Structures are given as structure tokens and as C-alpha cells.
Amino acid sequence: MGNRFAVCLSLLTMAALSGCGDQRILEKVGFTQTTSYDLLPDGRLKIAVAIPKADPEAELSRQLLTTTALSSKEARINLSRQTNLILVSGQMRNTLYGLSLAKSGLWNHIDTLMRDPSISPQVKVTVVNGDAESLLKKNYEQHPRTGKYIDRLLEKEAQEQAVPKVTLYEFARNYFDDGVDPVAPIVKDDGDSVIVDGIALFRDDKYAGRIEPGDSIIFALLERDFKKGEISIELAGEEGKKEIVMFSSLISSRKVEVGHGDAGTRTVNINVDVKGSILEYIGRLKLSDDANRHELERKISEHLSSRGNQLVGMMQEKGTDSLGIGMYVRNSMSYAAWKKLNWREEFPDVQVKCNIHVKIKDYGKFR
Amino acid sequence: MKTEEKLSPFHSVILIHMIQTGVALFSLPRVLAVQFGTNGWLAVFLFGAIVAIHIWLMSYVYRHSGGRSIFDILEQSIPKFVLSPVYIGLICVWAMLCCLVSKEYILIFKMVAFPTTNPMIFELVVNLLTLWLLGMGVYNIAKAATVFFWFVIWMVFLLTFFYGEFRWARLTPFVFQGGELKMKELYSIYAAFFGYELVLLLFPYANPQTKLMRAAMAGNGLTVAVYLYTCLIAFGFFSLQQLKEMLFPVLDLLAYIKLPFIERIENLLYGFFLFTILITAVMYVWSAKEVSRRMFPRIKGGVLGFIILTLAYLVSYIPDVLSEVLDWLQIFSVIEFWIAFGLPALVGLVLLVQRRRGQPSNG
């Protein structure tokens, strides 16, 4: 028995002591929460990190360090020279990329982040319309610390489909997939707040265009199945009057159909079924009347479908297959034929038709 | 009293499964993607089937062995001095596999959690645990394996976490397109299934109630099921090209898990895999010990185990970075592959000759 006890004890001691090699003491560690990247005109990177302070006595709730360097890991060494804390990236939540850098390509930076085992694949990828560092540096008085503020903002908006949820994992996955291009949410400084400014479309890893914030929900309808989301629609009514519909609690499912024509032409139908509640309607139709309601459903469906077509047209023009239509085209043909096809060149010429079909679940507690 | 104890069928199933499961799982989806391309996860079936056929062939040996150990059978017909080099070879390979498997696990752990700590300290701790487990004998190892099994198998349920991002469209309808088959790599895929061959050494510890061969089949079936499910999820969660670029996709899967109250729990989850590694390691060193007892019958088993582990520990100082360990494992996988096929074939052949000559099969 005594023998066993000795073995146990020595094992425990050794296991515990071997942990002393790489110590991390909370007070001595600076957990990077957000990192921003900007490209300077001379080709160097401007990198800033926001570190929330654990010390309750500190006057400021965060530390912000900035440096310029050739690579992000070199920047980390530079940043480390400015602080008494050991910089670690294990609790990083968000990375902000200035538009200048997004245009020149993000992959090298994402690759670095993916390679580091201490960085979570759930770190968000966000494009800043403007200078990322100045956005991160700014304190927004009415809101939590800027890094946390942007992180929570995006998280909440993603839940309501106003922006897609884009993390290192999603970006890398779509970057590598030959049938879809990556996207990322865009934010910008709006005086007293940070505001979501649409969706950035990437061609490979380079920023190629953006979707207006108003169209983000249309993008969501065409891109994925989801529950939860809302949209406000302005319909053309009779005699030039506008009708306004607020369509909420959306549940949407989509199917993509690919057809192959005789002359090698391809047609793609994106069929979306959306159910939702009407929370606001300003117009002449009576929602409690079945015929009226169906007419409204038809009108909304037509309206959304045409906006969908416009959106796809815009993406075809930019040459970014952000909806992943290529995935469905690929899956509808043989491997050899797909490999022979240059999807990048083919995509703008594909006939894409969006059929968004709307059903009104309920229209509130008022007739 | 103790000698009458026999392996129970359930413990044997779990034991075989636990020896099979190991570090190879972490890179398996990537290797399958690189080798087979699209829908590479289906290849798990192929490998599982090869193993099943192999176990079926081994059951021939088992049926005709009459419960004798394979060494008894071999030594009955082949002089010991001819067998000695074979025995030494087996000891070396199995002892090295034991150490390399645990060292690979530790080096990955080190990369993730303790980048600058000397891995040999961890290796020593794991080896001490292995030695301790080894001292308890094979019946207790099997029981420990069953307990460890429950520590690990629940993680399969974590895979439901990936249903949200899983897309069938990402799997593509193409089967095995865009891969580059390399013989060398095929061995390393097969290495993910290694462990079942050690069932050959369990003959004397089983009785007809154990249904040893059926247990081996079931254990392998369980391994195939777990691998298949994990790889399917990986192929639908990551895009193919991405999967090809990832060194340890299963580790990335673990890293993705985020609970409302906690995230970055991959280090904790990775820790649970130590249990499967421990069983794999202990069974290889146990096998090496069984062989060495044939060569040095006068030395006590415990002492032999200690000597083997110490030597293997010293040798495992040589490959000190992950890529070197992987290279070594590759080489030993190839050797083990041929042992897995050659050893039962040899025993089968000897049995056939013995039956022809009318020698008693019950020793």
C-alpha cells in the first residue's frame, strides 16, 4: 500500500511541477481582445491591440497599443516592448481589417491567425470602412469598451441575420472552397456609435465590393436557411402612394436548383420559402381578409425576388460568388467537367433567378 | 485463483477498441482528404473491411490454437534460436510504438498548451502511468480500459455541435476525386486501426465464453463507427481544400466548440484523449513484455516491463520534434503492418503443418 501511495504522490508532484515550465499568471498577462490591421501607403502594417485591464484600480478599462511592422507576429514583439504585461492571444474575439488592407488581400494575416494554436477558430473577421486603428482607438461614451462593443454588436446582428457570422473558420473554409467566395461584415465609425455598414464581398481574399446594409437580409435569404430576422419593405402602392410593410420573425429555407441547357448554358434557380409575421403595415389592404392578404404576400414575394435578382446581378458584375452558387453547380455535374470549367469566368454569365415565396404567418393582434 | 480469471466479452470489445483509437484520429480526416480527395471519409469503410477480413483470418488461428499462446504453437515446431531474432524484432517494434504513440500525443499537447516545456518530463509521467498499469496485469488493464472508455466516448456527442455548419453540399457527390494516393500514407491511415493484431497475444487469457474473435470484430466495428462519424462531420464542416491544409483537423474541431459559459476548452478535451493513448501504449508494452518473457523466462514480468519501458524511453529522446516523431511512426507503421499480417500467417502455417503431421493441438 505504502508503495502505491509513494508512486501516486510522486506522479502527482511531477505532473503538477511540469506545469511550472509555462506559467501564466492572470495579473501578469494581457489578454488581447481585439486586433486591428491597416495597410500603410509604404506597404507596412499598422497594428493595434486592445487589452482589457484586469486591475480594478486602474483608471482606464483598457490598454491600446499601436505599432507598425512588416508582419503581425513582428508587431506582437514590438507591442510587447511597450507593455508590462505578457501579451497572449488566447482570448482574442475579433480582428478588424481596414479597407486598405482588405483590398490588398487578407489571406496572409488569416493564415497567421489560423496557424497559431492559441488562437480560436471562432475569432471574428470584420472589415472596417475606413481606418481600423482609429475606430478601435476611439472611446464611445455611451457604449462598453470599443473592442467588446463591436464584438457584441456583431454577435447580436448576426443572430438577426443583419450580417453573416464570419469567423476565421468560416473565412478560411470559403476561401479554400472552389464553389464559394468569402464575405465579412463591415462596420464604420458613425460619430457617437459604431454602425454596421453592410457586407464585404471578397474575390478570393481581396475585397471586391459591398452589399448595402438594407440588402443584407436579402443576402441572408439567398445564402442560407435561418430562423429569426426582420425586414422592412417599401412597396409601390396605387396612385404613387407607398405602402410600408415590416415583416418579422422570419423563418426561411432555400433550395438551389441547377439546370443545364443544350448549348452549355446553365440556369440556376434559388427558391426561398419565407414565413413571417407582419408587425407593421401602412397601406390600403385589409390583412384580416384572405384575398387581400394573399395579394400582399404576392406583392412582397415579387418585390423581394426582384431585389434578389438585382443583388445577384451585382455580385455577378463584381465576379464574387458569395452565395456559393458554384457549390451547387459543381454538385450538378461530373468531376471532370467541373475541373475543366473555369467557374470564376463562368459565373457572371450564368442565368440566376431568385424565386422568393412569402407566407404571412400572422399579422399581430389587430385585425 | 487469479489464473482462472478470463477476459469478459464486453471488456475485450472495449479493450480492442481502446487500443485501436489513438492519436492517428487527430490527423485522419486530413490524410483521407489528401489521399482520397472528395468524400474521403468513405475510405474508413475500406480500411475497416480490410481489418475485419484480417480478424476473420486470425480467427482461423484462434480456432485451431486450442487456447494455447501463439508462442507455444511456434516453439513446438520451430527451434528457439530461429525464433529469437523474430522475438527481438517484435519487442523492439512494440516497445517503440508504445513510446512513439505517447510522445506524439505529448508533442501535440505541448504545441497547444506548453510550448516551451521539455516534453520528456510529460513523457516520463505518462510512462510511469503506463508502467503502473502494466503491473496490474492484462485483466485489470481490460477493466481500466472499460472505465477509460466512458471517459472518452461521450465526446462523440460533442459532434452534434457541428450540425449547424455542416452542409451536405460541401461533401460533393464525387467519390474519391482529386486525391493523390501514396503507398506510404496508406500505411499511416491503416495505422489508425492498429491494435487489433494484439488480440493474437490474448489467446491464453480468453476462454470460449470470451468469444474473443467476435469481440475483436465488434471492437473494430466500434472503432470504424467512431472514425466514420468523426470524418463525415469533418468533411461536411470544413471544405476539402481546407481540410487538406490542416495538420490536425480533429483538434481544430475541438477548438471550435464554444459553450455559452466557456470557450477554448480544447485543451481540456484533448486531455481526455490521454486515456486512449494510455491503453494503446500499455497494451503495446504489455505485448513486448509477453514476448520478452519467452526469451528470459527467469526474469520477473514486472522487471522486464520496467527494462523495456526504460529502454524505449531513452530511445524516444532521439526524435525530438513532432515531424521527426511522425516520420518514425511512419516507419514503424509499415513494419507493424507487415507484422500484423505476417505473424498470424506464420502461426497459421505452423498450425497447418502441425495438423498435417497429426501433432496434438491441445498442448
Side-chain angles (χ1 to χ4, degrees):
Chain A
M1 252 345 252
N3 198 5
R4 254 184 212 183
F5 182 72
V7 172
C8 262
L9 199 69
S10 58
L11 271 178
L12 267 176
T13 319
M14 283 175 68
L17 283 179
S18 52
C20 296
D22 287 283
Q23 284 186 351
R24 312 253 198 287
I25 293 166
L26 193 60
E27 285 78 9
K28 293 184 185 169
V29 169
F31 296 99
T32 311
Q33 205 263 355
T34 306
T35 310
S36 74
Y37 302 80
D38 290 287
L39 187 67
L40 296 172
D42 64 353
R44 287 170 73 85
L45 291 171
K46 180 170 66 172
I47 292 180
V49 293
I51 305 153
K53 283 237 192 102
D55 186 2
E57 287 168 19
E59 219 168 84
L60 292 167
S61 65
R62 60 169 188 161
Q63 253 185 29
L64 192 99
L65 309 171
T66 308
T67 186
T68 62
L70 285 169
S71 79
S72 58
K73 293 293 171 202
E74 188 201 327
R76 203 175 85 172
I77 297 169
N78 289 349
L79 292 169
S80 174
R81 280 160 49 204
Q82 304 174 22
T83 177
N84 57 330
L85 302 172
I86 305 164
L87 291 179
V88 295
S89 359
Q91 292 298 322
M92 187 137 82
R93 296 298 148 95
N94 198 357
T95 48
L96 305 172
Y97 302 90
L99 207 55
S100 52
L101 186 65
K103 280 179 182 160
S104 79
L106 291 186
W107 181 249
N108 286 340
H109 311 286
I110 305 254
D111 178 275
T112 309
L113 294 167
M114 295 291 285
R115 193 176 296 278
D116 187 341
S118 72
I119 294 175
S120 161
Q122 295 253 37
V123 170
K124 292 186 183 64
V125 175
T126 312
V127 173
V128 176
N129 192 353
D131 189 80
E133 189 240 7
S134 40
L135 181 80
L136 187 61
K137 201 151 86 184
K138 195 165 164 182
N139 286 313
Y140 295 89
E141 271 179 17
Q142 308 177 50
H143 302 283
R145 337 178 264 280
T146 310
K148 188 175 159 189
Y149 169 39
I150 300 173
D151 180 49
R152 296 279 161 88
L153 172 72
L154 288 171
E155 203 139 290
K156 185 218 67 194
E157 287 292 280
Q159 273 172 15
E160 299 185 346
Q161 326 301 334
V163 291
K165 172 176 173 255
V166 181
T167 60
L168 292 176
Y169 152 72
E170 271 111 0
F171 195 94
R173 183 193 69 199
N174 292 353
Y175 172 76
F176 278 120
D177 202 314
D178 51 4
V180 55
D181 281 314
V183 293
I186 312 181
V187 293
K188 70 170 183 191
D189 175 35
D190 190 41
D192 291 339
S193 323
V194 174
I195 188 166
V196 171
D197 195 33
I199 302 169
L201 304 174
F202 286 86
R203 195 182 158 114
D204 293 326
D205 65 332
K206 292 185 178 65
Y207 175 87
R210 94 179 224 280
I211 295 176
E212 292 293 328
D215 281 336
S216 296
I217 188 77
I218 310 274
F219 177 79
L221 288 171
L222 298 176
E223 203 256 343
R224 59 185 176 269
D225 296 352
F226 66 80
K227 286 177 183 166
K228 209 172 174 185
E230 51 192 22
I231 182 169
S232 169
I233 306 162
E234 208 175 90
L235 296 170
E238 282 169 5
E239 298 154 18
K241 276 189 183 167
K242 299 269 183 193
E243 293 187 0
I244 295 166
V245 186
M246 158 77 170
F247 205 37
S248 182
S249 309
L250 302 181
I251 298 174
S252 165
S253 77
R254 67 141 201 188
K255 279 201 174 67
V256 181
E257 282 170 7
V258 180
H260 294 269
D262 295 333
T265 54
R266 288 181 190 81
T267 52
V268 176
N269 283 318
I270 306 179
N271 302 320
V272 185
D273 278 314
V274 202
K275 283 183 194 154
S277 322
I278 294 223
L279 284 189
E280 182 181 69
Y281 173 67
I282 302 170
R284 60 172 180 88
L285 296 170
K286 189 85 181 147
L287 292 178
S288 54
D289 182 78
D290 279 353
N292 273 216
R293 202 168 62 245
H294 290 317
E295 195 192 329
L296 186 64
E297 282 176 348
R298 190 185 50 77
K299 278 174 116 177
I300 301 176
S301 303
E302 273 173 15
H303 174 83
L304 291 180
S305 300
S306 86
R307 273 174 74 184
N309 287 331
Q310 276 172 22
L311 192 66
V312 173
M314 186 272 278
M315 283 189 255
Q316 285 182 315
E317 208 174 285
K318 307 260 187 218
T320 58
D321 179 14
S322 315
L323 292 171
I325 293 170
M327 261 170 34
Y328 293 89
V329 172
R330 173 183 72 198
N331 293 356
S332 73
M333 52 207 293
S334 74
Y335 183 76
W338 169 255
K339 278 286 148 186
K340 232 167 61 190
L341 182 81
N342 186 340
W343 178 241
R344 182 72 69 212
E345 280 175 12
E346 184 78 12
F347 174 62
D349 302 326
V350 177
Q351 284 182 14
V352 184
K353 198 158 173 273
C354 305
N355 306 308
I356 301 181
H357 185 250
V358 169
K359 213 168 180 184
I360 298 171
K361 267 192 308 196
D362 50 62
Y363 43 91
K365 49 181 189 168
F366 211 62
R367 264 165 62 83
Chain B
M1 278 293 281
K2 270 212 161 166
T3 49
E4 283 171 21
E5 189 178 357
K6 293 288 168 191
L7 287 168
S8 93
F10 180 69
H11 288 169
S12 319
V13 173
I14 301 298
L15 181 64
I16 299 295
H17 167 69
M18 289 293 278
I19 309 172
Q20 283 188 302
T21 328
V23 245
L25 175 62
F26 287 98
S27 50
L28 188 62
R30 189 243 315 159
V31 187
L32 289 173
V34 173
Q35 296 304 304
F36 292 94
T38 54
N39 283 309
W41 59 280
L42 286 169
V44 172
F45 274 121
L46 298 181
F47 286 90
I50 299 173
V51 174
I53 294 170
H54 195 192
I55 295 176
W56 180 68
L57 290 175
M58 282 201 269
S59 68
Y60 168 84
V61 177
Y62 181 59
R63 259 203 314 279
H64 297 286
S65 69
R68 291 181 301 162
S69 86
I70 56 164
F71 306 117
D72 285 335
I73 298 167
L74 288 176
E75 284 165 20
Q76 194 181 341
S77 300
I78 304 174
K80 221 166 179 182
F81 72 90
V82 181
L83 282 174
S84 301
V86 178
Y87 282 178
I88 290 175
L90 289 177
I91 296 170
C92 291
V93 173
W94 285 339
M96 277 320 292
L97 276 174
C98 155
C99 268
L100 288 175
V101 163
S102 52
K103 185 141 188 194
E104 186 189 358
Y105 174 82
I106 285 161
L107 284 177
I108 297 174
F109 185 57
K110 180 181 114 98
M111 176 180 85
V112 179
F114 293 99
T116 52
T117 307
N118 184 355
M120 293 317 277
I121 300 172
F122 291 118
E123 175 81 19
L124 186 62
V125 176
V126 173
N127 274 358
L128 281 172
L129 276 172
T130 313
L131 186 66
W132 196 16
L133 210 52
L134 181 69
M136 293 184 175
V138 72
Y139 302 118
N140 288 324
I141 294 175
K143 285 171 200 162
T146 314
V147 176
F148 290 175
F149 172 71
W150 298 116
F151 287 159
V152 179
I153 198 69
W154 64 272
M155 282 201 272
V156 168
F157 294 107
L158 287 177
L159 291 174
T160 49
F161 196 86
F162 302 98
Y163 288 1
E165 288 290 341
F166 182 91
R167 282 221 188 148
W168 291 101
R170 212 167 280 135
L171 289 175
T172 75
F174 318 125
V175 177
F176 299 164
Q177 298 287 348
E180 307 172 52
L181 275 181
K182 276 198 194 122
M183 202 55 202
K184 212 173 87 179
E185 293 291 325
L186 289 183
Y187 283 117
S188 67
I189 299 178
Y190 201 75
F193 294 85
F194 277 154
Y196 69 92
E197 71 280 7
L198 299 184
V199 79
L200 278 174
L201 302 185
L202 294 174
F203 290 173
Y205 302 94
N207 60 10
Q209 276 84 50
T210 309
K211 301 203 176 72
L212 189 63
M213 283 305 155
R214 254 191 235 173
M217 279 287 189
N220 179 50
L222 189 59
T223 309
V224 170
V226 171
Y227 283 7
L228 210 55
Y229 184 38
T230 314
C231 293
L232 171 68
I233 294 287
F235 272 79
F237 182 75
F238 298 117
S239 57
L240 182 69
Q241 199 54 39
Q242 185 188 18
L243 205 49
K244 286 184 182 176
E245 300 288 331
M246 300 176 126
L247 205 48
F248 301 107
V250 175
L251 214 56
D252 285 281
L253 282 179
L254 293 179
Y256 186 79
I257 293 172
K258 179 175 168 184
L259 302 172
F261 50 93
I262 193 169
E263 61 180 292
R264 313 304 316 281
I265 45 174
E266 70 262 33
N267 290 355
L268 183 72
L269 296 175
Y270 186 69
F272 283 105
F273 279 93
L274 176 63
F275 294 113
T276 75
I277 306 302
L278 212 51
I279 294 296
T280 311
V282 77
M283 281 310 288
Y284 273 112
V285 76
W286 174 83
S287 306
K289 188 199 78 178
E290 286 289 291
V291 184
S292 60
R293 271 170 67 178
R294 286 287 159 171
M295 297 193 65
F296 312 102
R298 290 204 196 129
I299 307 177
K300 273 171 95 181
V303 179
L304 283 173
F306 178 76
I307 296 170
I308 292 168
L309 259 179
T310 312
L311 288 177
Y313 176 73
L314 292 176
V315 177
S316 71
Y317 259 101
I318 303 171
D320 65 345
V321 291
L322 194 53
S323 56
E324 279 173 22
V325 171
L326 291 174
D327 285 347
W328 280 50
L329 260 176
Q330 180 103 57
I331 296 164
F332 279 95
S333 302
V334 177
I335 302 172
E336 180 65 8
F337 178 83
W338 291 108
I339 291 176
F341 274 87
L343 193 60
L346 178 68
V347 180
L349 210 66
V350 170
L351 274 173
L352 212 64
V353 173
Q354 286 177 355
R355 274 158 60 88
R356 284 266 167 81
R357 286 188 192 156
Q359 281 170 346
S361 63
N362 277 319

